[in-house]
């Protein structure tokens, strides 16, 4: 029997960490379906290192890893295309985009070629990103004017600036304090993280704008996967599919109850209509595209992705 | 594997190798137990990763701020204020020693810096007032423990970077414990002064004298206020507050014409030296921490502790015992770097508040600075007071016991740590 | 010969400490710039925290050798004061050889590692990860070089060790 390590972010707590639910299910299914031929050791809490360290480990030796955006993007900045804001109306189109789209297939191939790491599954981690803030009920892009938002990476800064707001980098551990004291007025995250960080205590308005699909990526060392015997490899891939299916079902169910939880905690939940979301999209996408160009990302990736998402190419 | 790592480390420390090289040697040995083929990738990766965190950037800035304050004479101003406030009491100079440390702690994040800055001035002064040299050196070393407990604190920044706890909350949680420790040592000093019937000196200050001294010390007193308010109110991150304090001290020093360009440069190079020494230990420890994670030592330890998980009190006592024992024989930064990832998950599993735990671990590690035979503050205190180190080893135990008593209080009464952060959250 | 070695050593020390201090100063400037931009312009540049980390890591690594020569790295110099002279010389030789070997081996390994991470682009500055990582091979090489110059004798004692 072979044993392989699977490392990921976050605590091994099924209540709080959707990624852990996936990892745990995957471990059980793989061991069951391969009849113990392939065993998985779980390393939660980023125990084996930060995103870059773990990706290096996956490139170098037989490892599995669940990477977030910051694990993939240093090697394949094209992945930022999949985070074009307001691209998906809900879970179904997003899943279709990754499971059956041309863009994701091409990206996975390019990634494997560049790094020797195989893209195995897109794992949902807590729904869609939503805006929260303490100042006003945001329904239109204009509502953003003059607000100050916490940004995680340069693409988020570009997004906020397109609405006339500003973005400033604040580490996650300081976000609560920064929001409470007004260093930042708002931030964006999936409901899961808003609950984890108790941000509902310091944020009044929650705008469900489906900004971005919140996902992480199961990757594995390609040479190792190729070295598995045919039946074991087939069983492994089947286990990945099944585990992901299960995790997605649970995730979608949990998102509803999390939003309800936030409402119960006194947040004003704002649902947007399709027209309202379109207004955000028209405003945000051109500047996000400019940012993508500034990153030197080829136009073909953007066209492919927009086609997969069933959107018109955005004019610049 | 664990035993081989520890043995290699101890042997090389004993042979007088710098700690970071001793740690690197034992990391190499550790990899021979896991997989030597990992050395070329995992050693550099984890060494680099160990010091590649934004929150750690606060450490050099606070060291720099402390060096600049000394150079600008602000430390003297603080001591003068302390002398005026408590110098007239019986055993006044001992109280001055403790109170100066409290003032100094507000800008300074390290206990060793406190001992070496205040010790040379206060130990001779205490001798003159009839104190026993060993007690004077002991009080100097012990009172500097407030340095890493009252914010800012290098240990707390380290702990926060390893556990993802908010540095701001930790800093707040340290304020009350810091004053409790100071009060405990003042009480000890008072008792000593009364038993030896030390004379009283001078008289209580007049309001005029007091206000004059306060006015003079205002620039130095404002510094900790900037830090605490800035971090607590979330206006700046701890790292930024370190930078602002350094800037502030330079401006004050130049305006008061106490700071020359040459002093600023000397402070910078001193900071470089200390930063390099501390960070290399952190980097080298990170490679060993990774090996322990990889071998799943923390998880095994948690399993080992499972029978006690129902009793947080017992868990905390056990952890304190482990940290205290390890701290006696190991340098504090590496002890903190190695023990935190192993022990904290156990405590969290027992349902202990991460912030309370942070202060307990910090104080525990800080106490290691005054426990024989490896306590750095003891060595500095002995050096600056020209005292035989073994004499200090004997006289320090009452102080260690008092500090352990305060640690016990923090374990038994969570509000001592959690009340203040709760007030702001 | 002897004086040339001393001279080289003093020169390396002065240069590395000076450069390291300038990098630290640069780090201070970056952090202050970040604070002021956040309050004046509404947002700090996203590369600020990355640049600050790279500067400090470079400071640490560059100064490592000079700090070693000055005996400032934390260590326990207990046994070398108790040993008789011949055994002491042997111990000093062991300390020296181990330091030189570890330093040059680390420099080599880190150099190879720095090459291997070239394809990672950093988040904030968008540069190759090799660039900041190069601080490690350079620092270890400097440590090895200065240790080589210093020769097989005991490091100076700090007052804390007295
Ligand atoms: Na302090
Ligand atoms: Na003191």
């Amino acid at each position: 029997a072979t044993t392989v390590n699977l490392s990921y972010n976050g605590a091994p707590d099924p209540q709080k960490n959707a990624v852990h639910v996936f990892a745990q299910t995957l471990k059980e299914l793989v061991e069951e379906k391969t009849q113990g031929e392939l065993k998985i050791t779980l390393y939660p809490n980023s125990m084996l290192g930060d995103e870059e360290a773990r990706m290096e480990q996956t490139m170098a030796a037989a490892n599995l890893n669940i990477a977030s955006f910051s694990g993939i993007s240093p090697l394949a900045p094209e992945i930022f295309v999949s985070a074009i804001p307001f691209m998906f109306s809900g879970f179904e189109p997003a899943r279709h985009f990754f499971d059956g789209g041309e863009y994701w297939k091409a990206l996975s191939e390019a990634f494997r070629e560049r790094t020797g790491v195989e893209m195995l599954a897109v794992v949902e981690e807590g729904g869609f990103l939503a805006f929260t803030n303490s100042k006003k009920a945001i329904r239109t892009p204009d509502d953003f004017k003059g607000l100050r938002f916490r940004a995680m990476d340069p693409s988020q800064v570009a997004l906020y600036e397109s609405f006339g707001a500003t973005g400033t980098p604040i580490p996650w551990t300081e976000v609560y304090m920064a929001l409470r004291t007004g260093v930042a007025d708002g931030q964006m995250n999936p409901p899961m993280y808003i609950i984890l960080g108790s941000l509902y205590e310091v944020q009044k308005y929650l705008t469900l704008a489906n900004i971005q699909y919140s996902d992480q990526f199961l990757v594995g060392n390609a040479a190792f996967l190729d070295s598995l015997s045919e039946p074991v490899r087939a069983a492994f891939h089947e286990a990945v599919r099944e585990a992901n299916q299960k995790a997605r079902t649970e995730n979608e169910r949990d998102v509803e109850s999390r939003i309800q939880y936030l409402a119960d905690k006194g947040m004003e939940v704002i649902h947007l209509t399709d027209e309202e979301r379109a207004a955000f999209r028209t405003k945000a996408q051109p500047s996000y595209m400019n940012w993508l160009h500034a990153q030197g990302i080829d136009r073909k990736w953007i066209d492919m992705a927009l086609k997969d998402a069933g959107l018109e190419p955005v004019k610049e | 594997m664990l035993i081989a790592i520890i043995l290699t480390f101890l042997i090389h420390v004993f042979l007088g190798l710098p700690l970071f090289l001793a740690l690197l040697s034992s990391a190499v040995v550790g990899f021979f137990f896991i997989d030597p083929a990992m050395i070329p990738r995992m050693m550099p990766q984890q060494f680099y990763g160990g010091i590649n965190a934004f929150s750690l950037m606060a450490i050099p800035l606070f060291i720099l701020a402390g060096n600049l304050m000394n150079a600008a004479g602000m430390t003297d101003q603080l001591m003068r204020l302390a002398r005026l406030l408590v110098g007239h009491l019986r055993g006044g100079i001992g109280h001055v020693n403790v109170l100066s440390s409290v003032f100094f702690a507000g800008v300074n994040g390290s206990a060793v810096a406190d001992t070496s800055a205040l010790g040379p001035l206060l130990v001779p002064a205490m001798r003159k007032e009839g104190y026993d040299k060993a007690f004077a050196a002991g009080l100097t070393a012990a009172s500097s423990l407030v340095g890493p407990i009252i914010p800012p604190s290098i240990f707390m920044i380290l702990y926060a970077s390893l556990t993802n706890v908010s540095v701001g909350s930790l800093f707040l949680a340290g304020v009350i414990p810091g004053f409790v420790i100071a009060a405990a040592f003042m009480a000890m000093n008072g008792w000593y002064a009364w038993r030896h019937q030390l004379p009283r000196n001078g008289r209580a200050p007049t309001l005029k004298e007091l206000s004059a001294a306060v006015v003079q010390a205002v620039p130095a007193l404002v510094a900790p206020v900037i830090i605490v308010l800035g971090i607590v109110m979330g206006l700046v991150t701890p790292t930024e507050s370190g930078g602002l304090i350094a800037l502030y001290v330079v401006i004050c020093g130049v305006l008061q014409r106490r700071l020359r360009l040459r002093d600023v440069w000397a402070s910078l190079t001193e900071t470089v030296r200390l930063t390099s020494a501390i960070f290399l230990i952190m980097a080298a420890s990170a490679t060993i921490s990774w090996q322990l994670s990889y071998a799943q030592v923390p998880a095994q330890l948690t399993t080992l502790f499972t029978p006690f998980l129902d009793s947080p009190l017992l868990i905390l006592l056990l952890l304190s015992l482990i940290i205290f024992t390890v701290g006696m024989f190991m340098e504090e930064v590496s002890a903190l770097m190695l023990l935190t990832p192993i022990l904290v998950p156990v405590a969290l599993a027992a349902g202990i508040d991460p912030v309370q735990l942070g202060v307990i671990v910090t104080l525990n590690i800080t106490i290691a600075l005054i426990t024989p035979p490896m306590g750095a503050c003891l060595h500095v205190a002995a050096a600056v007071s020209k005292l035989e180190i073994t004499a200090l080893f004997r006289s320090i135990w009452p102080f260690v016991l008092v500090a352990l008593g305060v640690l016990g209080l923090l374990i038994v009464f969570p509000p001592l740590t959690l009340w203040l952060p709760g007030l702001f959250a | 010969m002897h004086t040339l070695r001393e001279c080289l050593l003093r020169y390396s020390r002065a240069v590395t400490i000076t450069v390291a201090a300038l990098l630290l100063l640069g780090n201070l400037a970056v952090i202050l710039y970040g604070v002021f931009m956040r309050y004046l312009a509404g947002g700090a540049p996203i590369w600020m925290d990355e640049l600050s980390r790279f500067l400090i890591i470079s400071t640490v690594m560059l100064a490592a050798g000079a700090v070693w020569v000055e005996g400032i790295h934390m260590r326990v110099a207990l046994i070398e004061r108790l040993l008789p002279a011949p055994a002491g010389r042997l111990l000093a030789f062991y300390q020296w050889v181990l330091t030189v070997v570890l330093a040059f081996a680390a420099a080599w390994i880190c150099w190879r590692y720095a090459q291997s991470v070239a394809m990672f682009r950093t988040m904030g500055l968008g540069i190759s990860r090799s660039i900041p990582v190069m601080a490690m091979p350079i620092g270890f090489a400097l440590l090895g070089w200065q240790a080589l110059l210093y020769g097989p004798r005991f490091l100076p004692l700090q007052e804390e060790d007295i």
Side-chain angles (χ1 to χ4, degrees), chain A residues 235-255:
Chain A
F236 172 76
H237 282 290
E238 198 188 302
V240 168
R241 259 193 310 278
E242 220 170 281
N244 205 12
Q245 197 52 51
K246 191 161 171 254
R248 284 177 176 182
T249 314
E250 287 188 18
N251 182 50
E252 190 164 350
R253 191 192 60 213
D254 290 346
V255 166

Side-chain angles (χ1 to χ4, degrees), chain A residues 172 175-176 179 191-202:
Chain A
W172 169 249
V175 165
Y176 181 92
L179 291 174
M192 185 174 90
Y193 287 95
I194 301 172
I195 296 173
L196 270 185
S198 305
L199 301 188
Y200 51 82
E201 294 172 8
V202 288

Side-chain angles (χ1 to χ4, degrees), chain C residues 26-142:
Chain C
N27 174 54
L28 179 63
V30 167
I31 283 173
L32 292 175
Y33 175 77
V35 184
F36 292 125
M37 284 305 281
R38 203 169 71 228
Y39 284 99
L40 297 181
I46 202 96
W47 43 260
M48 186 205 92
D49 115 59
E50 202 174 278
L51 183 58
S52 146
R53 277 181 283 136
F54 295 169
L55 287 172
I56 285 295
I57 292 173
S58 311
T59 306
V60 167
M61 292 311 301
L62 268 185
V67 173
W68 183 87
V69 170
E70 292 166 11
I72 294 174
H73 282 302
M74 287 149 208
R75 66 192 195 102
V76 182
L78 191 72
I79 187 168
E80 58 195 50
R81 271 176 280 132
L82 304 176
L83 279 181
R89 266 199 298 280
L90 198 68
L91 177 62
F93 188 73
Y94 177 74
Q95 290 179 355
W96 179 70
V97 168
L98 192 67
T99 305
V100 171
V101 168
L102 267 182
F104 281 118
W108 169 245
I109 287 175
C110 290
W111 162 257
R112 295 287 305 274
Y113 174 76
Q115 309 294 306
S116 81
V117 295
M119 67 187 309
F120 283 84
R121 276 219 298 163
T122 66
M123 268 291 229
L125 294 164
I127 54 172
S128 162
R129 186 161 145 85
S130 290
I131 296 171
V133 170
M134 276 305 287
M136 280 196 298
I138 294 175
F140 277 117
L142 281 170

Side-chain angles (χ1 to χ4, degrees), chain B residues 102 104-110 146-154:
Chain B
V102 171
F104 195 56
V107 243
N108 157 59
S110 123
V146 298
I149 305 301
I150 293 178
S153 160
I154 291 177

Side-chain angles (χ1 to χ4, degrees), chain A residues 5 41-44 47-50 52-54 56-57 60 63 170-171 173-174 176-178 180-183 201, chain B residues 41-42 45-46 52 54 164-169 172 231-238 290 293-296 424-425:
Chain A
N5 299 331
T41 314
L42 299 183
Y43 287 95
M47 269 163 73
L48 296 186
D50 61 13
E52 287 190 2
R54 274 157 36 215
E56 279 176 31
Q57 290 161 24
N63 282 302
I170 296 168
T173 49
E174 305 302 326
Y176 181 92
M177 278 290 195
R180 198 180 62 77
T181 55
V183 169
E201 294 172 8
Chain B
R41 174 156 307 276
M42 296 319 301
Q45 184 191 79
Q46 292 305 314
N52 186 22
F54 185 62
N164 272 339
V165 174
S166 154
V167 178
S169 310
L172 266 182
I231 298 174
V232 165
M233 300 184 57
L235 298 176
V236 287
T237 64
W290 187 87
S293 293
Y294 188 85
Q296 302 203 310
F424 284 84

Side-chain angles (χ1 to χ4, degrees), chain B residues 306-337:
Chain B
T306 311
F308 313 114
L309 285 186
D310 293 338
S311 164
L313 204 65
L314 198 59
I315 289 279
L316 282 178
L317 287 175
L318 277 172
L319 294 197
S320 302
L321 189 67
I322 296 175
I323 297 177
F324 182 80
T325 316
V326 173
M328 281 175 76
F329 302 101
M330 201 165 173
E331 189 274 334
E332 290 70 26
V333 172
S334 25
L336 188 64
M337 289 288 294

Side-chain angles (χ1 to χ4, degrees), chain B residues 332-393:
Chain B
E332 290 70 26
V333 172
S334 25
L336 188 64
M337 289 288 294
L338 290 178
L339 290 179
T340 303
I342 302 179
L343 297 181
V344 165
V346 179
L348 293 184
I352 294 153
D353 186 280
V355 172
Q356 186 200 2
L357 184 65
V359 180
I360 289 172
V361 171
T362 309
L363 178 57
N364 218 329
I365 278 290
T366 309
I367 292 174
L369 288 166
I370 61 162
T371 50
M374 291 273 285
C377 284
L378 287 185
H379 293 269
V380 178
V384 298
S385 43
K386 307 199 170 44
L387 178 72
E388 184 66 35
I389 186 81
T390 44
L392 189 53
F393 284 176

